[in-house]
Amino acid sequence: ATYSDFVAWQHQLLISPEGEAQIMYWVDELVGAPQVLELPTDSPRPKTCSERGARLQRVVDASLSQRVKALAAQEGTTLNVLLLSVFATLLHRYTGQEDFLIGSPYHGRNERRWEQVLGCFINSLALRMRFPAGLTFRALLQEVRQRFHAALAHADYPFPLVVERLRPQRDPSRPPLFPVMFGYV
């Protein structure tokens, strides 16, 4: 297989009933979602989006790491989903927002035939986080797990085409749809 085979496969997906089902999932999931996350900052927001990001790295001691892994296993989920849920909870508490989007990178190599092919397969997933009153962390964790797996089932639809279809109101100081991204490596 070659990258041009992947491009042809993706084109066929986009014009197929499966492709239509995938875009309808994204439309249903994302329509009406807030695109702004009002994080308290110590400086004004620039007028245009620079795409300069930051990375925060912290070493977690072995004891805490083991407890987090044990919690993920106990709840029947992955470490990625657990940490995504923690990150969403942190953003919810900082902003007070009960509905927002978090982006998540997706490797895009969902079929064995693409594993050895050189090329850019990466896609972005827009995950909707909702925090209704009284939501427990365990309930949130299960909700995030379900949303994450649903997004993965529709991950072949290219994110730029999702943005094009939704036609969100554009602001040059913000990226389209989701204001933050969470990646677990």
Side-chain angles (χ1 to χ4, degrees), residues 10 25 33-34 58 66 68 79 90 95 114 127 134 152 163 177:
Q10 191 173 57
Y25 165 82
R58 295 288 186 261
Q66 289 306 317
V68 170
L79 199 51
L90 180 69
T95 65
W114 310 131
L127 304 168
L152 287 177
V163 173
L177 295 185

Side-chain angles (χ1 to χ4, degrees), residues 57-126:
Q57 285 185 276
R58 295 288 186 261
V59 176
V60 176
D61 68 67
S63 171
L64 177 58
S65 178
Q66 289 306 317
R67 290 193 319 260
V68 170
K69 288 176 183 176
L71 177 60
Q74 176 186 333
E75 295 299 318
T77 193
T78 63
L79 199 51
N80 182 30
V81 169
L82 177 71
L83 295 174
L84 174 61
S85 300
V86 169
F87 182 62
T89 300
L90 180 69
L91 292 175
H92 166 65
R93 289 192 178 167
Y94 272 130
T95 65
Q97 288 179 237
E98 296 178 352
D99 187 10
F100 55 89
L101 297 173
I102 295 177
S104 180
Y106 173 64
H107 59 74
R109 295 177 190 266
N110 63 345
E111 294 187 22
R112 243 188 140 87
R113 64 183 161 158
W114 310 131
E115 286 178 2
Q116 300 300 317
V117 177
L118 291 177
C120 184
F121 288 78
I122 296 172
N123 197 15
S124 296
L125 306 178

